[in-house]
Amino acid sequence: MSDSIISVEHVFKSVTDSTGTLDILRDIDFALNARETVAIVGASGSGKSTLLSIIAGLDTPTLGTVRLAGQDLFAISEDERAALRAQKVGFVFQSFQLLANLTALENVMLPLELADRRDARQTATEMLARVGLSERLGHYPKVLSGGEQQRVALARAFVVKPAVLLADEPTGSLDFATGEKVMELMFDLNREQGTTLVLVTHDSAIADRCDRRITIEAGQVAAA
């Protein structure tokens, strides 16, 4: 597994409350190579989004670990995990997660500014042009359509040229036609940059476009 960009190693996740213990993930084990695209599919509540959060180091497994570019995510501090994410990982969410008080350009500039990039404005402007939003640089999220907001989110995710892109139901808030266009753009950008894509989706047509499909049922890998 040493050549893998992502290595998920015997991951378990349980939560306990007054009613007892709920096993969300049970012995999840797989590895992804650089440039590979994988769809994580399964019924609602099967543990897909929890798994994605653990791959990102945003959530902690009960047992097991995740290695990102060879680094054990749970052998380092939260600050070190955050720094590694900033260097290696891009995110696209169903709910866009744009900052409402920033323009489209400012939203895309943000990860570059956090990385002290002096060319943040130019690079972000070029990225927004790539996703077809040159006319929307100064617009705030509230005046953008859902499709435009998701394209801003794609630009923000890809602008740092991440090694890994994690996408959680990226078309879930969009109508079919808009979702198709957004996915086409995501796969195009992914190919251009040679990113490893991990995509949580309930859409079989989207999953079919990936190199691999990992099916989660009741917290376990049913097929990979």
Side-chain angles (χ1 to χ4, degrees), residues 87-100:
Q87 291 172 3
K88 301 284 187 185
V89 183
F91 295 93
V92 179
F93 302 94
Q94 177 177 334
S95 56
F96 317 134
Q97 300 281 16
L98 300 177
L99 294 175

Side-chain angles (χ1 to χ4, degrees), residues 7 19 21 33 35-36 44 48 58 62 80 91 116-118 126 128 134 140 143 150 157 165 170 192-194 197 207:
S7 179
T19 62
T21 298
N33 295 320
R35 298 174 177 264
E36 200 168 4
S44 181
K48 304 185 302 294
L58 294 168
T62 306
E80 289 169 325
F91 295 93
D116 290 326
R117 289 273 296 272
R118 293 186 177 182
E126 290 168 357
L128 282 164
S134 288
Y140 290 91
V143 298
Q150 195 60 300
L165 183 76
E192 286 169 21
Q193 295 196 4
L197 175 64

Side-chain angles (χ1 to χ4, degrees), residues 60-78:
T60 308
T62 306
L63 287 171
T65 197
V66 173
R67 296 181 196 279
L68 176 61
Q71 175 66 64
D72 182 341
L73 288 182
F74 305 107
I76 57 178
S77 70
E78 274 192 42

Side-chain angles (χ1 to χ4, degrees), residues 98 102-108 121 124-125 127-153 155:
L98 300 177
L102 298 183
T103 65
L105 180 59
E106 289 165 345
N107 266 284
V108 179
R121 179 172 294 273
T125 300
M127 196 70 212
L128 282 164
R130 173 64 187 83
V131 301
L133 292 176
S134 288
E135 306 301 314
R136 294 284 190 266
L137 301 184
H139 289 60
Y140 290 91
K142 67 181 179 182
V143 298
L144 298 175
S145 69
E148 287 171 336
Q149 289 187 61
Q150 195 60 300
R151 282 190 279 158
V152 174

Side-chain angles (χ1 to χ4, degrees), residues 42-218:
S44 181
S46 59
K48 304 185 302 294
S49 293
T50 300
L51 175 58
L52 200 69
S53 291
I54 289 173
I55 291 171
L58 294 168
D59 196 357
T60 308
T62 306
L63 287 171
T65 197
V66 173
R67 296 181 196 279
L68 176 61
Q71 175 66 64
D72 182 341
L73 288 182
F74 305 107
I76 57 178
S77 70
E78 274 192 42
D79 286 348
E80 289 169 325
R81 277 200 296 276
L84 188 62
R85 272 194 300 273
Q87 291 172 3
K88 301 284 187 185
V89 183
F91 295 93
V92 179
F93 302 94
Q94 177 177 334
S95 56
F96 317 134
Q97 300 281 16
L98 300 177
L99 294 175
N101 62 329
L102 298 183
T103 65
L105 180 59
E106 289 165 345
N107 266 284
V108 179
M109 285 172 62
L110 187 60
L112 297 167
E113 290 176 326
L114 292 172
D116 290 326
R117 289 273 296 272
R118 293 186 177 182
D119 60 346
R121 179 172 294 273
Q122 180 186 343
T123 304
T125 300
E126 290 168 357
M127 196 70 212
L128 282 164
R130 173 64 187 83
V131 301
L133 292 176
S134 288
E135 306 301 314
R136 294 284 190 266
L137 301 184
H139 289 60
Y140 290 91
K142 67 181 179 182
V143 298
L144 298 175
S145 69
E148 287 171 336
Q149 289 187 61
Q150 195 60 300
R151 282 190 279 158
V152 174
L154 282 177
R156 182 182 59 187
F158 279 107
V159 76
V160 293
K161 293 186 164 51
V164 174
L165 183 76
L166 304 177
D168 193 357
E169 299 282 9
T171 61
S173 298
L174 306 174
D175 64 74
F176 178 78
T178 305
E180 285 280 288
K181 291 175 184 173
V182 164
M183 288 312 303
E184 195 68 43
L185 182 60
M186 178 182 284
F187 280 109
D188 284 350
L189 289 167
N190 202 65
R191 278 192 298 272
E192 286 169 21
Q193 295 196 4
T195 310
T196 302
L197 175 64
V198 183
L199 172 68
V200 165
T201 184
H202 62 273
D203 188 326
S204 287
I206 292 174
D208 286 344
R209 298 182 63 173
C210 294
D211 299 329
R212 284 170 64 189
R213 182 190 296 226
I214 294 173
T215 303
I216 307 292
E217 288 180 9

Side-chain angles (χ1 to χ4, degrees), residues 32-45:
L32 301 178
N33 295 320
R35 298 174 177 264
E36 200 168 4
T37 60
V38 63
I40 298 176
V41 300
S44 181

